[in-house]
Amino acid sequence: MSKSANSLDAIPQTAKTPLFSLWEALALLVAMVFAFFGSQLLGIYIAGKLLLPSTKSQTAADLFYFASGNGTIVSSSIVFSGVFLSILIALIIRLKGAQVSDYLALKSFSLKVAIGSFGLLLLFMIGSQALTYWLDKSPSLFVDPLYDSVSSVWLLIIAMVVIAPIYEELVFRGVIWSALKEQFAIKFDKTELSKAEGLAQSEAHGALMASLITSLVFALMHLQYGLYEISTIVVLALIFCYARYKSGSLFLPIALHIFNNGLAMWQYLALAA
């Protein structure tokens, strides 16, 4: 990794006109939420039509009912969503006249920041695991029917451990986080601080507000979980946001997300064996 892309790397961006206006940023948030759910539903529908037997005589409601618990179809839907959302995000940013890699911070990060972020994630995972055990919760129960019905366990692993974290980060810590951060940063930059202080606090304030909003929305998107699990997802999302801010790179939260999902999947498979 290159020497640090630290938390102030993106400060010059706060002095520029935001890529999205306030209303465009809000519209983007709503549109990406709908695209997130819509692409998954469309993926399930297409895969269900192709893979489920006797779909011609089934209604759409019947198809979704049977397909949503099928591991092969859900995994295929995740792959479809990943491709669709990645292309959609790239098109939106390019249509606004920006470079995708620059706006999404697709660049290297420092090893020091990575070690600190992984350490923070491990502390959270240990605490969360202890609390889950103490409360006698089973957050992975929704995986059971998917695991039992998938044609290949590797398809499920690739979809849930690799593909889903990548496109979820592109959506939440990528385009939405960036769009919201620059809105709040610009507003805060109008204070009577020195230029350097104003830029630094503008960056921090924008990142904080974007992190809070995207973390809440991200947690609420995981409707397959209960209230306790959704609460832990908020904290997990804030850790991803912290890594995004401190590293100045989207690659670090992607790596953290893959590590988190991979460890959870390994634990599930170990118990299921």
Side-chain angles (χ1 to χ4, degrees), residues 12-103:
Q13 298 294 332
T14 63
K16 299 178 181 179
T17 302
L19 186 64
F20 298 95
S21 69
L22 174 60
W23 290 110
E24 286 176 336
L26 294 176
L28 177 68
L29 172 61
V30 175
M32 291 310 302
V33 169
F34 275 100
F36 187 90
F37 279 123
S39 62
Q40 291 181 344
L41 291 174
L42 181 59
I44 287 175
Y45 182 81
I46 293 173
K49 279 289 188 181
L50 294 174
L51 301 175
L52 283 181
S54 304
T55 54
K56 291 182 179 180
S57 60
Q58 292 177 346
T59 65
D62 290 334
L63 189 149
F64 281 118
Y65 176 79
F66 290 108
S68 60
N70 184 289
T72 301
I73 292 174
V74 170
S75 297
S76 301
S77 172
I78 290 173
V79 175
F80 175 84
S81 293
V83 174
F84 176 84
L85 290 171
S86 298
I87 294 173
L88 177 63
I89 290 170
L91 284 175
I92 291 172
I93 294 172
R94 290 299 297 151
L95 286 173
K96 293 296 293 183
Q99 290 294 325
V100 175
S101 59
D102 291 340
Y103 195 72

Side-chain angles (χ1 to χ4, degrees), residues 164-180:
I166 290 175
Y167 77 74
E168 287 179 354
E169 292 306 310
L170 285 172
V171 171
F172 293 99
R173 263 66 61 181
V175 65
I176 296 178
W177 192 89
S178 298
L180 292 177

Side-chain angles (χ1 to χ4, degrees), residues 102-167:
D102 291 340
Y103 195 72
L104 295 179
L106 302 178
K107 56 186 178 181
S108 60
F109 50 84
S110 76
L111 181 60
K112 181 179 179 180
V113 174
I115 292 173
S117 298
F118 271 97
L120 182 62
L121 177 61
L122 284 172
L123 287 175
F124 163 79
M125 295 174 76
I126 292 170
S128 176
Q129 186 67 28
L131 186 59
T132 299
Y133 178 79
W134 181 62
L135 295 174
D136 194 25
K137 296 287 185 177
S138 300
S140 299
L141 283 177
F142 79 97
V143 181
D144 288 343
L146 304 181
Y147 175 76
D148 292 337
S149 59
V150 72
S151 59
S152 169
V153 174
W154 282 108
L155 175 61
L156 187 66
I157 292 173
I158 292 172
M160 298 188 71
V161 175
V162 181
I163 304 298
I166 290 175
Y167 77 74

Side-chain angles (χ1 to χ4, degrees), residues 1 5 104-110 113-114 117-118 121 161-162 164-174 177-178 211 218 236-261:
M1 296 296 175
L104 295 179
L106 302 178
K107 56 186 178 181
S108 60
F109 50 84
S110 76
V113 174
S117 298
F118 271 97
L121 177 61
V161 175
V162 181
I166 290 175
Y167 77 74
E168 287 179 354
E169 292 306 310
L170 285 172
V171 171
F172 293 99
R173 263 66 61 181
W177 192 89
S178 298
S211 297
F218 177 72
L236 182 64
L238 287 172
I239 293 174
F240 295 156
C241 289
Y242 173 81
R244 168 69 178 84
Y245 170 62
K246 291 296 290 184
S247 68
S249 170
L250 186 62
F251 285 140
L252 183 54
I254 288 175
L256 292 175
H257 201 153
I258 290 175
F259 177 76
N260 176 78
N261 284 23

